Amino acid sequence: MDGVLWSDSPYGLFTFILLTLILGGLGAWATGRAMAQTWRPIPMLLPYMVLLTAGVRFLHYALYGEPLLSLQHFIIAFVWLLIVAVLGYRYKRAAQMATQYSWAYESAGLNWRAKA
């Protein structure tokens, strides 16, 4: 699986875990929560995740000499960051709905449901 998710550089797996999964994931989670907190629609995450993915890929290039314009690695990072951002968005939105409209809704994991 070497070369599919991460590059063939000496530190490929390390940079994939550190930069993409951890640092990029934390940034995506924070972006998703911020978008939900300001009541923006979920499709607004797409352009922000493209920019965040470009930043993460640039860090791969600048710090560890990995290929900058690798479409495969860009898409993998984009999908991961988008999934984490949507999870952060849904987590925050469920908490918002349960707090803002506590008389009508209750939190149910990453969703909310009407009170009985």
Side-chain angles (χ1 to χ4, degrees):
M1 193 148 105
D2 190 32
V4 176
L5 293 177
W6 54 84
S7 71
D8 291 332
S9 68
Y11 298 108
L13 175 60
F14 172 74
T15 61
F16 176 73
I17 292 172
L18 178 67
L19 294 177
T20 303
L21 297 184
I22 296 174
L23 292 178
L26 288 174
W29 181 268
T31 303
R33 288 194 50 179
M35 296 294 284
Q37 191 171 8
T38 55
W39 295 92
R40 299 195 193 285
I42 205 163
M44 290 282 295
L45 284 173
L46 290 173
Y48 289 108
M49 289 305 102
V50 168
L51 293 174
L52 183 61
T53 305
V56 167
R57 287 304 306 158
F58 178 75
L59 288 176
H60 280 267
Y61 166 75
L63 296 176
Y64 297 100
E66 294 184 7
L68 178 63
L69 300 175
S70 171
L71 183 62
Q72 172 187 358
H73 294 132
F74 188 89
I75 290 172
I76 289 169
F78 175 75
V79 168
W80 167 251
L81 296 179
L82 187 61
I83 289 170
V84 173
V86 168
L87 288 174
Y89 182 93
R90 295 296 297 181
Y91 178 80
K92 181 63 176 179
R93 182 56 54 94
Q96 274 182 309
M97 292 297 285
T99 303
Q100 185 83 18
Y101 304 107
S102 60
W103 49 271
Y105 298 113
E106 61 187 4
S107 183
L110 293 177
N111 208 350
W112 58 91
R113 62 176 170 245
K115 284 189 174 178

